[in-house]
Amino acid sequence: MKRALARLLPALLAAGAASAAWAQSRAAVPEQHRWLTFAVFTAIIALTMFVTYVAARRVRTPADFYTAGGGLSGLQNGWAIAGDYLSAASFLGVAGLISLWGYDGFMYSVGWLVAYISVLLVIAEPCRNIGKYTLSDLLAYRNDPKLARVFGALSVITVSTFYLVAQMVGGGMLVKTLIGIDYEISVVAVGSLMLAYVIFGGMVATTWVQIIKAVLLVAASLLMVVLVWRDYGFFGGFLDSVVGDARVQQRVAAILGDGAAGLAPAELGQRFLEPGLLFRSPLDQISLGVALVFGTAGLPHILMRFFTVPTARAARSSVVWAMAIIGGFYLLTLFLGLGAALKVGAPAIMDIDGGGNMAAPLLAQALGGGPESLLGNFMLAFVAAVAFATIVAVVAGLVLAAASAIAHDLYVGVVRDGQASTETQVRAARVATVAFGVVAIVLGIAAKGQNVAHLVALAFAVAASANFPCLFMTLFWRRCNTAGIVAGMLVGTLAAIGLVLVSPNMTYPKAVKAAAQQVLDEAPQRLRAIETALAAADFERVEQAKKERAALGRAVARARDELERYRHVDTSLVGLEAPLFELRNPGLLSLPLGFLALIVASLLYRDPRAEAMWDEVYVRQNTGALLASAARLQGGNGRSEKRF
């Protein structure tokens, strides 16, 4: 077997290399159309930089930098919230998951949409009524100001870092895959643009960039869905097309393996529209929903958006607009993902990216006429440029949240005890932005080639398990106090991080090597079957066999790389050979632990300040009364606080 494999490997690798070049040119735009990609990218980046230039002249105070002066309308803020929320994971990731896993992939869309109901009902109006624009501000209002600010700021920085690094890696890989720029340069480009938006334009520029990007994203998605409907029919007819498609049926058969035996083709197609292909455990699916729903309410860059509008009514209106935009978009992802499964096919999508992240750009290319057409490559370039703008805009919002935690909460609120001039606060915010941005770029480069799925899981898990319990209880429970906040933050964060570190999200080298060895062991048999197909007289079968041979070559190359990479490693980052905790999403356990720690510590410790402030918090969160005067008194952050 080994000698046979040794003879076959060179041929496989050669086929893989040739096909990789073909695949690269097809996905990344052929050489003759590359100028088009650069032109589209340049146009969109130039538009956002012009917005930043205009916005920079309006940033004078900390209020301008952090909350755009609180002068946005509900509609504008709704689009900006949608822009913040519709990340690359939403656009590229969800469409890809649906194209490969059908119904289960759509569960991410449902989870993120439902998450906004919790934000609307629980968080939006009370936060805006109290008038604090960071998580730490809110926690410090009725608890020990310095202690609450320190723990709140550290949690915000932790969540922002996890989420930011994942976005940076995604941005770097997207640019590298599409136009062939080195990964490191791509990450530096993403980071540089992000810093330019935030340093010069603050929340004003970040908001308008989010609005532009959200409009382009929704418009591009809507256009693609209309074109998909043109080819496959609207809704009922469209779903019938999915069930009856041979490539979809083959994909389901490949997932089910022996379980597909005895199922008719129509039954296989129907399984694509039913749960169970990706999430085999109902508990894991529930845990994912918990993290998505409550994690969203605790994401720092989302919370800041409620203070960019002048009134609680406008905050409520902005969330309603955001729900409509986000809900409509996530409905479109269903047709984008299924359209990619029909028009492109799972094998072609996975040829370019095993996770399916290129499904939407490949669908755009196919709808425009295919890899060799000018229109197809223009549509791919446009969708890719919008995805790139999405990544840059989201990381800008995250950097702004982290910078506010460092400069506003830690430096001004704790180190300077709230005594800082307007100029000092703005300068501190810009210095913090540069420092955090540079760290994000370095971490993004260091994470090259790593599986960053666990970073996204960590961001949502910490936000749900630490931020949300503290935010919710300080708003609605009289007995909540400083000890409870500290305990809730610590236990929620440590539980979320600890459970993710021992979950299937991590890389387990022993399992990776076993899977890689299996690919190598099965390669000779698969290649013989492919060569038999190549000798057939059927043209379509021969072409398909050529693609399968190329894919096999790449799979063998990857397997060899993985065996080499983990040659001397058998355990995960924390020394495990297999997961201790079987759920990929720890929210089902870590969120109750965060609540429990907060409740127990609050009951065991008396805090006169927290109890004395409760009546004021209750009145203000329900009425918004005395907003300006309370903001002036609390924290003593200088004359600029009067504006909040």
Side-chain angles (χ1 to χ4, degrees), residues 64-80:
D64 297 329
F65 192 88
Y66 291 128
T67 65
L72 298 179
S73 69
L75 177 59
Q76 290 170 336
N77 200 41
W79 275 102

Side-chain angles (χ1 to χ4, degrees), residues 258-281:
D258 294 340
L263 293 178
E267 291 176 307
L268 290 172
Q270 184 62 36
R271 285 296 308 275
F272 201 63
L273 303 179
E274 297 174 352
L277 293 182
L278 177 59
F279 299 112
R280 308 291 173 90
S281 164

